[in-house]
Amino acid sequence: MDKVLSFHAGRLPLLVSMPHAGLALTPTVQAGLVEPARGLPDTDWHIPQLYDFVGELGASVVAAQYSRFVIDLNRPDDDKPLYVGATTGLYPATLFEGEPLFKDGQAPSAEERAGYLAQIWRPYHDTLRQELERLRAEFGYALLWDAHSIRSHIPHLFDGKLPDFNLGTFNGASCDAQLAERLQAVCAQAPNYSHVLNGRFKGGHITRHYGDPAQHIHAVQLELAQSTYMNEVAPFEYREDLARPTQAVLRQLLETLLDWGKARYGR
């Protein structure tokens, strides 16, 4: 397997994770996809570009290189469902609209998928775990921001239009309550944007598994409506005019995260 992730170690106690930004496909997955899936419509498009300021902030960054159509890095390795109702699994079988992802008989084999788990999923999670351990050892705590985006209208997954900023803390279990309140306040003060805390998206496996306030690891997922920074239909162009004000809010959210950590832990 070739390069499966990119990683940059920062100088602050913050790790930004981008598990669904990858575009690479294995030969089997590429050959088996149905025509509507070939444009990778369910990608968290342009997330590295949208968050290009995090290096300047001094945060660590880990980003997937392979598409979620190969294996979903934000699902547990036992593939237990995270949400009630329509969702996608560790090895997605459907598009977000509910249509089959693969042509009949052309999904990867169990042996191939075991390889994806060992060679793509595990290195990403090993990197997450090791970097969070490094940050906690150095600073006494670690902050994890799991960066996602999704189309604002997907009737198969949720009713109506999704709020712009969807913060998830696994119903308060993955981070300190005061931190969640401060992040909500940032969103509430952002003009022209809607937000919700623990709505349809409460945080996937990464947020739930690594967020552990009792052990001084605070994790937050942001599911951002793609209408805030891009065109939501193919070819999914990045829109600088939309992205610029959205980036300002994202930067304020991450700065608030860091300020809270410094006030709470003294460094």
Side-chain angles (χ1 to χ4, degrees):
M1 188 70 68
D2 55 5
K3 183 179 179 183
V4 299
L5 60 86
S6 62
F7 173 68
H8 168 75
R11 62 181 187 276
L12 296 175
L14 171 61
L15 171 60
V16 178
S17 164
M18 304 175 182
H20 290 158
L23 299 174
L25 299 172
T26 65
T28 300
V29 171
Q30 185 168 24
L33 291 177
V34 297
E35 190 60 35
R38 291 189 172 277
L40 309 182
D42 299 344
T43 301
D44 290 11
W45 288 100
H46 310 298
I47 287 294
Q49 182 176 358
L50 187 66
Y51 282 86
D52 63 4
F53 60 89
V54 297
E56 178 186 333
L57 281 182
S60 298
V61 184
V62 58
Q65 298 299 300
Y66 275 84
S67 168
R68 67 187 303 164
F69 287 171
V70 177
I71 189 168
D72 193 329
L73 302 177
N74 201 28
R75 297 294 183 268
D77 58 1
D78 61 8
D79 203 17
K80 289 183 178 178
L82 296 178
Y83 292 99
V84 176
T87 186
T88 56
L90 179 66
Y91 306 107
T94 63
L95 291 161
F96 283 171
E97 299 291 355
E99 302 167 354
L101 183 60
F102 293 101
K103 304 168 191 172
D104 288 344
Q106 294 194 41
S109 67
E111 182 179 9
E112 287 172 308
R113 285 176 165 171
Y116 302 162
L117 183 68
Q119 298 175 52
I120 301 174
W121 191 96
R122 295 206 184 282
Y124 194 89
H125 285 269
D126 287 346
T127 302
L128 279 176
R129 185 185 67 256
Q130 291 164 9
E131 181 63 4
L132 290 171
E133 289 174 354
R134 181 187 75 84
L135 295 177
R136 186 173 58 176
E138 180 175 347
F139 297 96
Y141 69 103
L143 305 168
L144 173 61
W145 185 266
D146 207 37
H148 295 260
S149 72
I150 193 169
R151 298 194 305 277
S152 60
H153 288 274
I154 305 180
H156 184 65
L157 296 184
F158 50 82
D159 295 330
K161 184 178 186 294
L162 196 68
D164 296 320
F165 287 79
N166 299 266
L167 296 165
T169 65
F170 194 26
N171 291 327
S174 70
C175 83
D176 185 275
Q178 289 187 349
L179 173 56
E181 289 176 5
R182 292 192 185 185
L183 296 173
Q184 271 195 289
V186 171
C187 292
Q189 293 165 11
N192 306 317
Y193 294 102
S194 57
H195 76 280
V196 68
L197 175 65
N198 293 316
R200 172 62 177 84
F201 298 98
K202 304 177 187 298
H205 174 67
I206 290 172
T207 304
R208 303 180 191 200
H209 181 72
Y210 295 99
D212 189 351
Q215 298 301 317
H216 312 296
I217 299 177
H218 302 268
V220 178
Q221 176 179 295
L222 176 63
E223 192 78 63
L224 184 67
Q226 290 178 343
S227 57
T228 64
Y229 71 94
M230 59 173 278
N231 291 335
E232 294 188 306
V233 296
F236 309 113
E237 300 100 335
Y238 189 81
R239 291 273 304 276
E240 189 66 40
D241 59 321
L242 297 175
R244 197 175 303 111
T246 301
Q247 282 182 309
V249 181
L250 291 173
R251 186 172 191 130
Q252 190 175 1
L253 285 167
L254 294 185
E255 289 175 343
T256 297
L257 193 69
L258 288 164
D259 289 345
W260 176 87
K262 187 178 295 185
R264 170 69 173 79
Y265 292 97
R267 58 183 305 186

